[in-house]
Amino acid sequence: QVQLRESGGGLVQFGGSLRLSCTASGSMYTFIEMSWHRQAPGEQRELVAAINSRGRTTYADSVKGRFTISRDSAKNGVYLQMNSLKPEDTAVYYCHGRTGVAIESPSFWGQGSQVTVSS
């Protein structure tokens, strides 16, 4: 049974930094892509950043230049360095892993980690 576990969230002041970590346990898969998503109260979940097995990255416009995604394939882990944080970054952050490009390929979500940025 595959489980993704996030850590590193918390409360930070405007302009501060946090580093989120997500690691997989019990995995029999190699993830072709890992990503971070976030969801604020009353809002839909949105993609924040993604990284594929070749190291190609994708970022939401709202976080470009402030957030950096990276991964350690040997650990089946993905990380998100968040700098210059703003109150609008406040949300629950989820990590996600995809095992293939096909719709029927298994994918997995973490349970989420709260990030709160104060004014």
PDB file of all heavy atoms in Angstrom, residues 99-117:
ATOM      1  N   THR A  99       2.022   7.454 -11.784  1.00  0.00           N
ATOM      2  CA  THR A  99       2.816   6.304 -12.188  1.00  0.00           C
ATOM      3  C   THR A  99       2.845   6.095 -13.686  1.00  0.00           C
ATOM      4  O   THR A  99       3.591   5.248 -14.173  1.00  0.00           O
ATOM      5  CB  THR A  99       2.311   5.020 -11.516  1.00  0.00           C
ATOM      6  OG1 THR A  99       0.969   4.753 -11.935  1.00  0.00           O
ATOM      7  CG2 THR A  99       2.349   5.161 -10.000  1.00  0.00           C
ATOM      8  N   GLY A 100       2.035   6.831 -14.428  1.00  0.00           N
ATOM      9  CA  GLY A 100       1.984   6.694 -15.870  1.00  0.00           C
ATOM     10  C   GLY A 100       1.180   7.810 -16.494  1.00  0.00           C
ATOM     11  O   GLY A 100       0.522   8.586 -15.801  1.00  0.00           O
ATOM     12  N   VAL A 101       1.230   7.905 -17.827  1.00  0.00           N
ATOM     13  CA  VAL A 101       0.519   8.962 -18.538  1.00  0.00           C
ATOM     14  C   VAL A 101      -0.929   8.592 -18.821  1.00  0.00           C
ATOM     15  O   VAL A 101      -1.759   9.477 -19.071  1.00  0.00           O
ATOM     16  CB  VAL A 101       1.233   9.320 -19.858  1.00  0.00           C
ATOM     17  CG1 VAL A 101       2.620   9.863 -19.561  1.00  0.00           C
ATOM     18  CG2 VAL A 101       1.315   8.114 -20.784  1.00  0.00           C
ATOM     19  N   ALA A 102      -1.259   7.305 -18.798  1.00  0.00           N
ATOM     20  CA  ALA A 102      -2.614   6.856 -19.082  1.00  0.00           C
ATOM     21  C   ALA A 102      -3.540   7.152 -17.911  1.00  0.00           C
ATOM     22  O   ALA A 102      -3.125   7.147 -16.751  1.00  0.00           O
ATOM     23  CB  ALA A 102      -2.632   5.364 -19.397  1.00  0.00           C
ATOM     24  N   ILE A 103      -4.805   7.397 -18.225  1.00  0.00           N
ATOM     25  CA  ILE A 103      -5.794   7.698 -17.196  1.00  0.00           C
ATOM     26  C   ILE A 103      -5.911   6.565 -16.184  1.00  0.00           C
ATOM     27  O   ILE A 103      -6.097   6.809 -14.987  1.00  0.00           O
ATOM     28  CB  ILE A 103      -7.163   7.997 -17.837  1.00  0.00           C
ATOM     29  CG1 ILE A 103      -7.101   9.279 -18.667  1.00  0.00           C
ATOM     30  CG2 ILE A 103      -8.249   8.108 -16.772  1.00  0.00           C
ATOM     31  CD1 ILE A 103      -8.381   9.596 -19.404  1.00  0.00           C
ATOM     32  N   GLU A 104      -5.789   5.325 -16.654  1.00  0.00           N
ATOM     33  CA  GLU A 104      -5.943   4.180 -15.767  1.00  0.00           C
ATOM     34  C   GLU A 104      -4.713   3.900 -14.914  1.00  0.00           C
ATOM     35  O   GLU A 104      -4.749   3.028 -14.036  1.00  0.00           O
ATOM     36  CB  GLU A 104      -6.305   2.929 -16.575  1.00  0.00           C
ATOM     37  CG  GLU A 104      -5.226   2.472 -17.549  1.00  0.00           C
ATOM     38  CD  GLU A 104      -5.383   3.063 -18.933  1.00  0.00           C
ATOM     39  OE1 GLU A 104      -6.027   4.126 -19.065  1.00  0.00           O
ATOM     40  OE2 GLU A 104      -4.872   2.455 -19.890  1.00  0.00           O
ATOM     41  N   SER A 105      -3.624   4.618 -15.142  1.00  0.00           N
ATOM     42  CA  SER A 105      -2.432   4.425 -14.331  1.00  0.00           C
ATOM     43  C   SER A 105      -2.682   4.905 -12.906  1.00  0.00           C
ATOM     44  O   SER A 105      -3.266   5.974 -12.707  1.00  0.00           O
ATOM     45  CB  SER A 105      -1.244   5.181 -14.921  1.00  0.00           C
ATOM     46  OG  SER A 105      -0.940   4.714 -16.222  1.00  0.00           O
ATOM     47  N   PRO A 106      -2.251   4.144 -11.911  1.00  0.00           N
ATOM     48  CA  PRO A 106      -2.479   4.559 -10.526  1.00  0.00           C
ATOM     49  C   PRO A 106      -1.792   5.877 -10.196  1.00  0.00           C
ATOM     50  O   PRO A 106      -0.707   6.175 -10.689  1.00  0.00           O
ATOM     51  CB  PRO A 106      -1.875   3.415  -9.706  1.00  0.00           C
ATOM     52  CG  PRO A 106      -1.886   2.238 -10.628  1.00  0.00           C
ATOM     53  CD  PRO A 106      -1.624   2.816 -11.998  1.00  0.00           C
ATOM     54  N   SER A 107      -2.438   6.675  -9.364  1.00  0.00           N
ATOM     55  CA  SER A 107      -1.851   7.895  -8.835  1.00  0.00           C
ATOM     56  C   SER A 107      -2.229   8.015  -7.371  1.00  0.00           C
ATOM     57  O   SER A 107      -3.220   7.427  -6.922  1.00  0.00           O
ATOM     58  CB  SER A 107      -2.293   9.127  -9.622  1.00  0.00           C
ATOM     59  OG  SER A 107      -3.690   9.329  -9.516  1.00  0.00           O
ATOM     60  N   PHE A 108      -1.459   8.798  -6.625  1.00  0.00           N
ATOM     61  CA  PHE A 108      -1.624   8.835  -5.180  1.00  0.00           C
ATOM     62  C   PHE A 108      -1.508  10.255  -4.647  1.00  0.00           C
ATOM     63  O   PHE A 108      -0.708  11.056  -5.137  1.00  0.00           O
ATOM     64  CB  PHE A 108      -0.570   7.949  -4.509  1.00  0.00           C
ATOM     65  CG  PHE A 108      -0.613   6.521  -4.976  1.00  0.00           C
ATOM     66  CD1 PHE A 108       0.170   6.105  -6.042  1.00  0.00           C
ATOM     67  CD2 PHE A 108      -1.446   5.608  -4.362  1.00  0.00           C
ATOM     68  CE1 PHE A 108       0.127   4.792  -6.489  1.00  0.00           C
ATOM     69  CE2 PHE A 108      -1.505   4.287  -4.798  1.00  0.00           C
ATOM     70  CZ  PHE A 108      -0.715   3.881  -5.861  1.00  0.00           C
ATOM     71  N   TRP A 109      -2.319  10.550  -3.636  1.00  0.00           N
ATOM     72  CA  TRP A 109      -2.336  11.838  -2.962  1.00  0.00           C
ATOM     73  C   TRP A 109      -1.888  11.708  -1.513  1.00  0.00           C
ATOM     74  O   TRP A 109      -2.188  10.713  -0.840  1.00  0.00           O
ATOM     75  CB  TRP A 109      -3.748  12.424  -2.943  1.00  0.00           C
ATOM     76  CG  TRP A 109      -4.265  12.890  -4.264  1.00  0.00           C
ATOM     77  CD1 TRP A 109      -5.037  12.190  -5.137  1.00  0.00           C
ATOM     78  CD2 TRP A 109      -4.057  14.174  -4.852  1.00  0.00           C
ATOM     79  NE1 TRP A 109      -5.333  12.961  -6.235  1.00  0.00           N
ATOM     80  CE2 TRP A 109      -4.742  14.190  -6.085  1.00  0.00           C
ATOM     81  CE3 TRP A 109      -3.364  15.318  -4.453  1.00  0.00           C
ATOM     82  CZ2 TRP A 109      -4.761  15.298  -6.927  1.00  0.00           C
ATOM     83  CZ3 TRP A 109      -3.370  16.429  -5.290  1.00  0.00           C
ATOM     84  CH2 TRP A 109      -4.066  16.410  -6.506  1.00  0.00           C
ATOM     85  N   GLY A 110      -1.207  12.729  -1.037  1.00  0.00           N
ATOM     86  CA  GLY A 110      -0.958  12.846   0.384  1.00  0.00           C
ATOM     87  C   GLY A 110      -2.182  13.419   1.082  1.00  0.00           C
ATOM     88  O   GLY A 110      -3.162  13.800   0.443  1.00  0.00           O
ATOM     89  N   GLN A 111      -2.135  13.491   2.409  1.00  0.00           N
ATOM     90  CA  GLN A 111      -3.278  13.966   3.180  1.00  0.00           C
ATOM     91  C   GLN A 111      -3.291  15.472   3.388  1.00  0.00           C
ATOM     92  O   GLN A 111      -4.274  16.015   3.873  1.00  0.00           O
ATOM     93  CB  GLN A 111      -3.332  13.254   4.535  1.00  0.00           C
ATOM     94  CG  GLN A 111      -3.646  11.771   4.424  1.00  0.00           C
ATOM     95  CD  GLN A 111      -3.828  11.109   5.767  1.00  0.00           C
ATOM     96  OE1 GLN A 111      -3.117  11.420   6.720  1.00  0.00           O
ATOM     97  NE2 GLN A 111      -4.786  10.202   5.845  1.00  0.00           N
ATOM     98  N   GLY A 112      -2.236  16.148   3.023  1.00  0.00           N
ATOM     99  CA  GLY A 112      -2.199  17.594   3.081  1.00  0.00           C
ATOM    100  C   GLY A 112      -1.456  18.145   4.284  1.00  0.00           C
ATOM    101  O   GLY A 112      -1.395  17.521   5.340  1.00  0.00           O
ATOM    102  N   SER A 113      -0.907  19.333   4.108  1.00  0.00           N
ATOM    103  CA  SER A 113      -0.198  20.048   5.163  1.00  0.00           C
ATOM    104  C   SER A 113      -0.594  21.517   5.117  1.00  0.00           C
ATOM    105  O   SER A 113      -0.544  22.138   4.054  1.00  0.00           O
ATOM    106  CB  SER A 113       1.320  19.898   4.984  1.00  0.00           C
ATOM    107  OG  SER A 113       2.031  20.541   6.027  1.00  0.00           O
ATOM    108  N   GLN A 114      -0.993  22.062   6.258  1.00  0.00           N
ATOM    109  CA  GLN A 114      -1.464  23.438   6.319  1.00  0.00           C
ATOM    110  C   GLN A 114      -0.304  24.426   6.291  1.00  0.00           C
ATOM    111  O   GLN A 114       0.659  24.291   7.051  1.00  0.00           O
ATOM    112  CB  GLN A 114      -2.287  23.662   7.590  1.00  0.00           C
ATOM    113  CG  GLN A 114      -2.781  25.099   7.776  1.00  0.00           C
ATOM    114  CD  GLN A 114      -3.855  25.475   6.792  1.00  0.00           C
ATOM    115  OE1 GLN A 114      -4.811  24.718   6.591  1.00  0.00           O
ATOM    116  NE2 GLN A 114      -3.714  26.641   6.161  1.00  0.00           N
ATOM    117  N   VAL A 115      -0.412  25.410   5.413  1.00  0.00           N
ATOM    118  CA  VAL A 115       0.512  26.535   5.368  1.00  0.00           C
ATOM    119  C   VAL A 115      -0.292  27.803   5.607  1.00  0.00           C
ATOM    120  O   VAL A 115      -1.258  28.072   4.887  1.00  0.00           O
ATOM    121  CB  VAL A 115       1.250  26.620   4.023  1.00  0.00           C
ATOM    122  CG1 VAL A 115       2.051  27.918   3.925  1.00  0.00           C
ATOM    123  CG2 VAL A 115       2.160  25.418   3.844  1.00  0.00           C
ATOM    124  N   THR A 116       0.095  28.576   6.613  1.00  0.00           N
ATOM    125  CA  THR A 116      -0.593  29.814   6.936  1.00  0.00           C
ATOM    126  C   THR A 116       0.413  30.957   6.959  1.00  0.00           C
ATOM    127  O   THR A 116       1.423  30.887   7.669  1.00  0.00           O
ATOM    128  CB  THR A 116      -1.298  29.727   8.299  1.00  0.00           C
ATOM    129  OG1 THR A 116      -2.226  28.638   8.295  1.00  0.00           O
ATOM    130  CG2 THR A 116      -2.053  31.017   8.596  1.00  0.00           C
ATOM    131  N   VAL A 117       0.138  31.996   6.179  1.00  0.00           N
ATOM    132  CA  VAL A 117       1.012  33.161   6.094  1.00  0.00           C
ATOM    133  C   VAL A 117       0.274  34.351   6.691  1.00  0.00           C
ATOM    134  O   VAL A 117      -0.781  34.749   6.194  1.00  0.00           O
ATOM    135  CB  VAL A 117       1.429  33.460   4.650  1.00  0.00           C
ATOM    136  CG1 VAL A 117       2.434  34.604   4.622  1.00  0.00           C
ATOM    137  CG2 VAL A 117       2.015  32.214   3.998  1.00  0.00           C
TER     138      VAL A 117
END
